[in-house]
Amino acid sequence: MKRALAIPLPRTGPAAIAIPGPWPTVLSLASGLAIWELLGRFVITNPVLFAPFSRVLAAALPLLEGGALWHHIGISMVEFGLGFVIAAAAGVSLGFLLALHRASRALLEPWVAILYSSPLVALMPFFILVFGIGIASKVAIVAAVTVIPIIFNTTSGVRHADPHLLDVAKVYGCTRWQTLTRVLLPAATPAIMVGLRLGVGRGLTGVAVGELFAAQGGLGYLITTAGQSFDTPTLLLGVLIFSLIGVVLIHLLNRLEAWLMRGLARGDAA
């Protein structure tokens, strides 16, 4: 009978990604909001150029009462969520392909580098021509701008897996699938999560740009209409919500990484 496979994971477990308590974050955010309020009231007093935080909150109240703000947030989140899921699936798959298949790497890596260095958001008119002015064009631009860092980080994580772990897998007679799922995937998980976190910012930027060009709703649309009417508090409200969504999503990805690494460590111990 073959012995059960128990390959030690790289030391990237929960201790390496410990999440501190909430108080430093709360104090940091409170200080930033206080500075924002003071700047708006005593430094940049032109209401067209800037608005204090209190006026931004006041601008949010009528939008919340009428439900318009939740409507805009919902549209943007659907566009972001669909594009991000597509980018994550494609990015991780292509990252493994580039890392493990030399011919594919020689063929595709130059194109990935070209796309990475290209201002893809400037191609939004092209996406509108191809996919129309509906949700599909926004999903496409989100996926396009998000997938590249996921590919790069996944490829790096797989290629830099500990060679000693691969040797152990060979000694145990692991199949290619077992090596992929039991060695390479756990080793690459931290790098993949870095790519996903980088993709959050790029994806939210893609949503904003897509809605600036052609949309009937969404936070980018809210920002555009507010800018056209010189409604600075509402404009800053849209930017603030985008930022808060990014903070929440990155926090959730940190939690997901900690949970995954704990699960992998328990599976290795068993």
Side-chain angles (χ1 to χ4, degrees), residues 89-142:
V92 172
S93 301
L94 286 173
F96 270 90
L97 180 65
L98 292 177
L100 300 176
H101 198 269
R102 186 175 302 176
S104 298
R105 182 164 65 249
L107 182 65
L108 297 177
E109 197 169 49
W111 291 103
V112 174
I114 289 172
L115 290 174
Y116 180 73
S117 58
S118 300
L120 294 178
V121 291
L123 297 177
M124 190 60 209
F126 169 77
F127 284 95
I128 292 174
L129 288 174
V130 174
F131 297 101
I133 62 173
I135 188 175
S137 58
K138 285 75 171 178
V139 172
I141 190 64
V142 170

Side-chain angles (χ1 to χ4, degrees), residues 133-248:
I133 62 173
I135 188 175
S137 58
K138 285 75 171 178
V139 172
I141 190 64
V142 170
V145 299
T146 304
V147 71
I148 304 300
I150 299 175
I151 292 174
F152 273 133
N153 282 274
T154 301
T155 302
S156 177
V158 175
R159 294 182 67 181
H160 291 88
D162 190 344
H164 297 295
L165 297 179
L166 297 175
D167 292 338
V168 172
K170 290 180 181 179
V171 169
Y172 276 90
C174 293
T175 64
R176 188 174 182 85
W177 176 253
Q178 287 175 323
T179 302
L180 180 68
T181 57
R182 295 282 297 175
V183 180
L184 294 177
L185 183 58
T189 294
I192 294 172
M193 298 306 298
V194 171
L196 293 176
R197 285 193 289 268
L198 292 174
V200 166
R202 292 173 67 95
L204 290 174
T205 301
V207 171
V209 171
E211 293 173 348
L212 288 174
F213 274 88
Q216 297 299 316
L219 291 173
Y221 173 79
L222 179 68
I223 292 171
T224 301
T225 55
Q228 291 171 348
S229 60
F230 300 101
D231 184 0
T232 304
T234 302
L235 186 152
L236 292 177
L237 173 65
V239 175
L240 176 62
I241 293 173
F242 265 126
S243 301
L244 292 177
I245 290 172
V247 170
V248 171

Side-chain angles (χ1 to χ4, degrees), residues 24 36 39 43 62 68 81 144 151 154 191 208 228 249 265:
W36 180 354
L39 282 175
V43 181
I151 292 174
T154 301
Q228 291 171 348
L249 290 174

